[in-house]
Amino acid sequence: MQETRLDTARIRAARPVIDPIFLDSPLYPCEALEPVLGCTVSIKLETANPVRSFKARGTELVASMLADNGPRAVVCASAGNLGQALAWSGRGRGLDVTVVASRFATAAKLDRIRALDARLELVDGDHEMARERAAAIARRDGIRLLEDSLDVETCEGAATIGLELVDTAPAFDTVLIALGGGALATGVGHVMKALAPEVEVICVQPLGAPAMTHSWRRRRVVTTDSTDTIADGVAGRRPIPAVLNDLLLVADDAVLVQETSIIAGMRMLLDHAGLVVEPSAALGLAAILEDRDRFAGRHVVTIVCGSNVDVDAYHRWVRVERSAWPTAEF
Amino acid sequence: MQETRLDTARIRAARPVIDPIFLDSPLYPCEALEPVLGCTVSIKLETANPVRSFKARGTELVASMLADNGPRAVVCASAGNLGQALAWSGRGRGLDVTVVASRFATAAKLDRIRALDARLELVDGDHEMARERAAAIARRDGIRLLEDSLDVETCEGAATIGLELVDTAPAFDTVLIALGGGALATGVGHVMKALAPEVEVICVQPLGAPAMTHSWRRRRVVTTDSTDTIADGVAGRRPIPAVLNDLLLVADDAVLVQETSIIAGMRMLLDHAGLVVEPSAALGLAAILEDRDRFAGRHVVTIVCGSNVDVDAYHRWVRVERSAWPTAEF
């Protein structure tokens, strides 16, 4: 295939750099989901670690490089999970970490970033404004700007999940990947295409934040003016051209799902798997719910990519869901 | 030390027999719990596997032995988790599995046992009656009786958790272990005493099911007439003498906790760790809540041993808890 920016040998070499606490996350079939979804669903659980998301796989690489021979200060924009991960990876290596986030970001994520000793700067706008502000800080202070999905370490860190999927029997048919900026999708997708090309790579994005999916479908960057989704972790408006190029090489499909399906997916993971997840982590189940025929009888892996939620919002979502979707239907 | 029935070399040899899907479960500090509990809490997460509890570590050993050279049929009494684990381990090896349970057992556990193709027989009494009935079935049919905690494989399977705790840096001060029949406590406790004797081994049981704790304190078997706890997984009344003997050798303390503390622990794991757990899995946090001074500043590992709950009961518990224990207090 045409080559992505990612490199399989570098991805393998990344494993020993990443704190093992983030590696070899659980991968297991959740049989209780089978009768309700009509397919075999295996969960790749990226939430049972100190930052409750997969993002530290990438920030470990970045922080390790900076600690070895880079500037000791780094800034990133984040919806919350990247910032938390960078704060964790930076703290252990004595780095000076600044995170820029929207003041509308999930409060639980912002609280954790502060608790991890990072400097937190809030902007009165959305994630795209946070990205601009982070870039301005980097220019002003001459420090490293970490850009999620553009910096290849964020993609190759996420790609170590792909290695673990490939190395763990039994085989599966499809992997469902939350699509936001594209680090997770291009990372895991790259490994699948390189090492398990028979596996179908399907990216899933909310209808309310469809920029990357529209871009993938039209094979050129499509931006949107706003986003409207509870899946804060994937709510971007301006896809990065280099990331789109990679995504075009590795994704077999990109689908959009409704908010009600995301909430139904969250509720199912709570009821049938005992997992509290953030909306982005339920995108995979939402995709199955919206197209059961497509997945019927298949073995699907879904990456449960984060669990940082505001507790009250979470309970409000899953409670609403219970009345909106009769139990009998699932 | 005086020797338990367990053998460290056999425990090491058990690892390759157990399906890797149950091994090397996540172990990670949950910093969000620190400010509310006043100590460092690391979670050993035994719920991210196909049966959502640690019990399959033991049933893998038993089922493997039976598949190799034993009778092809096996029966056990179970509050639900052992039965589910034996059904899983037996199904993959073509064994004929019967589980006897109380008809008052957690419905979600019974549903999963049935779904895993085991024969399920319900008795109109508590877990001790299920034990008697399972023994009668074994005698009648001439099949293998698996007795939790008495059969050393159940203890040595659980003990593989101890190996993982010892092998994973950093060091910790205390391990909190749910105490029921004693397989988990004697298993993990044995490994601690053998390989990390500086670690304090504290067993935790509900005040409403205190038989083993009373027995440990008096150094002789003490039975109770009934149990009254939501922690169904540890609600035994008749400790097994051989297991008590082992527990006396490996436990540094055994403490009893109130139901309100168990529920507060469940709520904390939900709110601060994003984990739905069954009551037995919250015993460790309950112990910290009831004696904060004892654990202040220490590094405590708590084994989150299971997450099989009835969803409605779970929500009822944690909702009640929220009003009963003001948020400000934790």
Side-chain angles (χ1 to χ4, degrees), chain A residues 23-38:
Chain A
L23 296 173
D24 300 320
S25 58
L27 172 65
Y28 59 100
C30 180
E31 286 188 39
L33 286 170
E34 281 195 39
V36 284
L37 290 172

Side-chain angles (χ1 to χ4, degrees), chain A residues 123-319:
Chain A
V123 297
D124 193 26
D126 71 0
H127 179 62
E128 302 300 345
M129 185 180 287
R131 284 174 64 189
E132 289 169 15
R133 177 69 187 145
I137 291 173
R139 280 192 303 271
R140 182 194 69 194
D141 298 347
I143 64 178
R144 165 74 187 264
L145 173 66
L146 172 62
E147 286 203 77
D148 203 4
S149 305
L150 178 60
D151 290 3
V152 77
E153 297 84 6
T154 62
C155 307
E156 292 181 344
T160 58
I161 297 171
L163 288 184
E164 294 167 21
L165 294 180
V166 168
D167 290 347
T168 308
F172 53 96
D173 302 307
T174 301
V175 59
L176 296 170
I177 313 175
L179 178 61
L184 183 61
T186 57
V188 174
H190 172 92
V191 173
M192 291 300 133
K193 292 307 157 196
L195 302 177
E198 70 284 3
V199 173
E200 185 183 31
V201 174
I202 303 181
C203 304
V204 191
Q205 206 164 35
L207 266 169
M212 188 57 116
T213 297
H214 286 168
S215 302
W216 182 85
R217 289 178 181 169
R218 294 180 205 169
R219 304 185 72 81
R220 63 171 176 82
V221 168
V222 177
T223 61
T224 61
D225 292 333
S226 62
T227 61
D228 183 16
T229 177
I230 61 170
D232 60 304
V234 293
R237 296 189 291 109
R238 295 185 202 151
I240 299 169
V243 184
L244 173 59
N245 287 343
D246 289 343
L247 195 68
L248 286 166
L249 296 171
V250 302
D252 295 305
D253 201 358
V255 300
L256 297 172
V257 296
Q258 302 181 51
E259 297 293 291
T260 48
S261 304
I262 298 172
I263 292 175
M266 294 172 75
R267 178 81 207 199
M268 279 188 181
L269 286 168
L270 177 68
D271 285 357
H272 298 294
L275 298 173
V276 173
V277 304
E278 59 181 275
S280 308
L283 286 166
L285 290 204
I288 301 173
L289 283 170
E290 293 201 3
D291 197 353
R292 287 161 189 265
D293 288 347
R294 176 176 189 171
F295 300 101
R298 296 176 75 84
H299 182 180
V300 178
V301 170
T302 185
I303 301 171
V304 174
C305 52
S307 71
N308 288 296
V309 283
D310 284 335
V311 172
D312 290 337
Y314 178 81
H315 287 290
R316 204 164 55 242
W317 292 327
V318 298
R319 197 164 53 228

Side-chain angles (χ1 to χ4, degrees), chain B residues 10-52:
Chain B
R10 266 203 317 260
I11 295 165
R12 288 198 190 282
R15 273 185 59 92
V17 179
I18 299 169
D19 190 312
I21 210 163
F22 300 107
L23 294 174
D24 301 320
S25 58
L27 171 66
Y28 60 101
C30 180
E31 287 187 38
L33 286 170
E34 280 196 40
V36 285
L37 290 172
C39 57
T40 300
V41 177
S42 284
I43 289 171
K44 181 66 171 167
L45 190 69
E46 290 293 314
T47 63
N49 65 51
V51 299
R52 295 173 59 173

Side-chain angles (χ1 to χ4, degrees), chain B residues 101-171:
Chain B
S102 162
R103 72 178 181 86
F104 306 109
T106 297
K109 293 178 177 176
L110 301 181
D111 289 345
R112 296 305 312 154
I113 292 168
R114 289 188 193 96
L116 288 163
D117 300 336
R119 188 175 306 109
L120 178 64
E121 181 168 327
L122 299 180
V123 298
D124 193 24
D126 71 0
H127 180 62
E128 302 300 343
M129 185 180 287
R131 284 174 65 189
E132 290 168 14
R133 177 68 188 145
I137 290 172
R139 281 192 303 271
R140 182 195 69 195
D141 298 347
I143 64 177
R144 164 75 187 264
L145 174 66
L146 172 62
E147 287 203 76
D148 203 2
S149 306
L150 178 60
D151 290 3
V152 78
E153 297 85 3
T154 62
C155 307
E156 292 182 344
T160 57
I161 297 171
L163 288 184
E164 293 168 21
L165 294 181
V166 169
D167 289 346
T168 307

Side-chain angles (χ1 to χ4, degrees), chain A residues 21 26-29 31-32 45 48-50 52 88 91 112 116 267 270-274 276 311-312 315 322, chain B residues 21 26-29 31-32 45 48-50 52 88 91 112 116 267 270-276 311-312 315 322:
Chain A
I21 210 164
L27 172 65
Y28 59 100
E31 286 188 39
L45 189 69
N49 64 51
R52 295 173 59 173
W88 194 96
R91 186 184 62 178
R112 295 306 310 154
L116 288 163
R267 178 81 207 199
L270 177 68
D271 285 357
H272 298 294
V276 173
V311 172
D312 290 337
H315 287 290
R322 168 165 280 194
Chain B
I21 210 163
L27 171 66
Y28 60 101
E31 287 187 38
L45 190 69
N49 65 51
R52 295 173 59 173
W88 194 95
R91 186 184 61 177
R112 296 305 312 154
L116 288 163
R267 179 80 206 201
L270 177 67
D271 285 357
H272 299 293
L275 298 173
V276 173
V311 172
D312 289 338
H315 287 291
R322 167 165 282 194

